[in-house]
């Protein structure tokens, strides 16, 4: 078993923003009973890049780790518990996070998507790039709108997308948070909703979730003069959902294909955490949840 299994990776800058991201990360780690790897990324000079294993750079790395350890202990106000592991990365943040996700073992990576007080100067394009390039699922959170409970989870579905991975994660989060699943699809066509393929697919997913003792309901949104993503975002607000699980393009990791307007708008337009499933993920067994 990979030593990073049952673990979350999250980027924590050493500033006030980092303290707030850490609080949100701890909520998920504790609620999900998972370990969490905290990563601070430091810009490196040419010497470090050319010879990271030199004695000078090893001392430099240990000094950075010691500083990060003091920051985390001060932020926690206590000793660092065993389920928190600290790491130091060097270079550009997004590139480092992509490389870390490629190493394998993490169940997902958590990243801050907030637009304000972002000392790392992440743009929406940076976040979208990471979501599309990450080798494992990504949980994007907004530190300006922290959550401390999740009672309902929205799962938008598309008739062209597979549901296997989302079924696993919907089951996982619903069981851990004792939350209700809302399967939602937005349609432009003028037909009875129960006759639509989206409704039939949603009902199949609902039955699979109910077999696992998860409370679930299906909602088909009839949209006319509205974009689909706008209707979904309005629905998320309407039911005050705690988080969203959405599927990205399966092939985006390999083709360079972007996550698309719909997924990007949900990620950036939703104040609540958005869990994006895509790329290469571990093989998960529903019976292990």
């Amino acid at each position: 078993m990979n030593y990073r299994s049952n673990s979350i990776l999250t980027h924590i800058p050493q500033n006030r923003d980092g303290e707030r991201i850490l609080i949100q990360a701890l909520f998920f780690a504790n609620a999900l009973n998972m370990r969490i790897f905290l990563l601070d990324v430091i810009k490196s000079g040419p010497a470090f890049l050319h010879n990271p294993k030199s004695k000078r750079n090893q001392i430099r790395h240990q000094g950075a780790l010691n500083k990060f350890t003091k920051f985390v202990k001060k932020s926690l106000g206590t000793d660092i518990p065993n389920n928190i592991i600290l790491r130091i990365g060097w270079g550009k943040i997004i590139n480092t996070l992509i490389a870390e996700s490629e190493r394998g073992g993490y169940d997902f990576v958590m990243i801050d998507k907030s637009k304000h007080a972002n000392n790392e100067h992440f743009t929406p394009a940076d976040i979208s790039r990471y979501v599309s390039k990450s080798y494992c699922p990504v949980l994007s959170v907004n530190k300006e709108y922290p959550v401390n409970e999740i009672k309902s989870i929205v799962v938008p579905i598309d008739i062209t997308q597979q549901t296997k991975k989302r079924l696993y994660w919907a089951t996982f989060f619903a069981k851990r948070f004792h939350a209700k699943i809302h399967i939602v699809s937005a349609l432009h066509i003028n037909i009875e909703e129960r006759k639509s393929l989206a409704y039939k697919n949603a009902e199949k997913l609902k039955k699979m979730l109910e077999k696992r003792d998860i409370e679930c309901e299906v909602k088909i949104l009839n949209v006319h003069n509205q974009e689909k993503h706008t209707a979904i975002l309005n629905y998320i607000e309407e039911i005050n959902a705690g988080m969203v699980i959405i599927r990205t393009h399966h092939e985006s990791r390999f083709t360079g294909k972007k996550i698309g307007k719909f997924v990007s708008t949900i990620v950036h337009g939703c104040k609540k955490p958005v869990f994006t499933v895509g790329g290469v993920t571990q093989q998960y067994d529903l019976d292990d949840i």
Side-chain angles (χ1 to χ4, degrees):
M1 178 180 291
N2 192 299
Y3 83 103
R4 288 187 294 255
S5 62
N6 194 41
S7 297
I8 306 167
L9 172 69
T10 187
H11 169 239
I12 303 291
Q14 294 186 50
N15 50 44
R16 176 57 181 160
D17 287 351
E19 293 176 355
R20 297 166 72 186
I21 298 168
L22 176 58
I23 292 172
Q24 190 69 110
L26 290 175
F27 163 74
F28 280 97
N30 294 332
L32 300 174
N33 192 28
M34 299 175 78
R35 294 185 301 171
I36 184 163
F37 284 72
L38 306 182
L39 175 70
D40 185 25
V41 182
I42 299 172
K43 294 180 180 179
S44 58
F48 187 89
L49 292 175
H50 291 157
N51 190 9
K53 293 185 178 181
S54 70
K55 184 174 182 180
R56 177 183 177 185
N57 284 325
Q58 287 179 353
I59 294 173
R60 183 183 175 193
H61 184 93
Q62 187 59 51
L65 182 60
N66 292 341
K67 181 181 177 183
F68 189 36
T69 301
K70 291 180 181 178
F71 170 80
V72 174
K73 288 180 68 174
K74 182 179 179 180
S75 299
L76 295 174
T78 183
D79 289 335
I80 299 174
N82 293 332
N83 70 322
I84 296 180
I85 301 96
L86 306 188
R87 291 288 182 267
I88 294 293
W90 301 85
K92 294 181 179 180
I93 297 171
I94 296 297
N95 290 346
T96 302
L97 287 171
I98 292 172
E100 279 293 321
S101 72
E102 186 178 8
R103 295 175 193 272
Y106 301 113
D107 289 271
F108 61 89
V109 176
M110 195 187 98
I111 190 169
D112 176 39
K113 63 180 177 181
S114 57
K115 298 178 182 178
H116 304 291
N118 184 343
N119 288 355
E120 301 300 329
H121 305 294
F122 286 157
T123 66
D126 290 327
I127 302 300
S128 293
R129 175 172 171 255
Y130 183 67
V131 170
S132 69
K133 293 293 185 181
S134 176
Y135 284 78
C136 60
V138 178
L139 177 67
S140 56
V141 302
N142 189 329
K143 65 177 175 294
E144 307 299 321
Y145 300 94
V147 297
N148 53 25
E149 66 175 2
I150 294 176
K151 295 183 178 180
S152 59
I153 301 171
V154 168
V155 182
I157 65 167
D158 184 303
I159 60 174
T160 64
Q161 291 182 329
Q162 298 177 355
T163 60
K164 184 177 179 181
K165 291 179 182 178
R166 274 181 301 179
L167 176 62
Y168 174 87
W169 287 110
T171 302
F172 177 81
F173 285 114
K175 284 185 173 291
R176 292 294 194 278
F177 290 118
H178 305 288
K180 179 179 179 179
I181 295 290
H182 296 256
I183 305 169
V184 59
S185 185
L187 299 178
H188 284 298
I189 55 178
N190 291 317
I191 64 172
E192 184 182 344
E193 67 176 46
R194 290 180 178 272
K195 294 182 179 179
S196 69
L197 183 57
Y199 178 82
K200 293 175 182 178
N201 287 347
E203 279 294 313
K204 288 180 182 178
L205 183 57
K206 176 184 176 182
K207 289 179 181 178
M208 288 188 285
L209 288 168
E210 288 180 336
K211 284 182 180 178
R212 292 168 175 80
D213 298 319
I214 295 171
E215 185 180 2
C216 187
E217 75 171 48
V218 170
K219 180 70 173 180
I220 303 297
L221 304 174
N222 289 311
V223 296
H224 300 287
N225 299 321
Q226 228 180 5
E227 294 277 2
K228 288 184 178 182
H229 59 259
T230 302
I232 297 291
L233 287 171
N234 288 340
Y235 180 73
I236 293 168
E237 289 286 335
E238 177 186 331
I239 68 168
N240 192 29
M243 72 178 295
V244 179
I245 299 175
I246 196 166
R247 183 83 162 87
T248 63
H249 295 293
H250 176 70
E251 71 277 12
S252 62
R253 262 299 306 135
F254 306 100
T255 64
K257 188 173 182 178
K258 296 180 179 179
I259 57 177
K261 180 180 178 181
F262 180 80
V263 175
S264 180
T265 305
I266 298 298
V267 168
H268 299 295
C270 181
K271 298 175 182 177
K272 300 298 177 63
V274 177
F275 189 85
T276 49
V277 183
V280 180
T281 60
Q282 301 181 55
Q283 295 299 316
Y284 295 111
D285 187 348
L286 281 167
D287 295 329
D288 288 339
I289 301 177

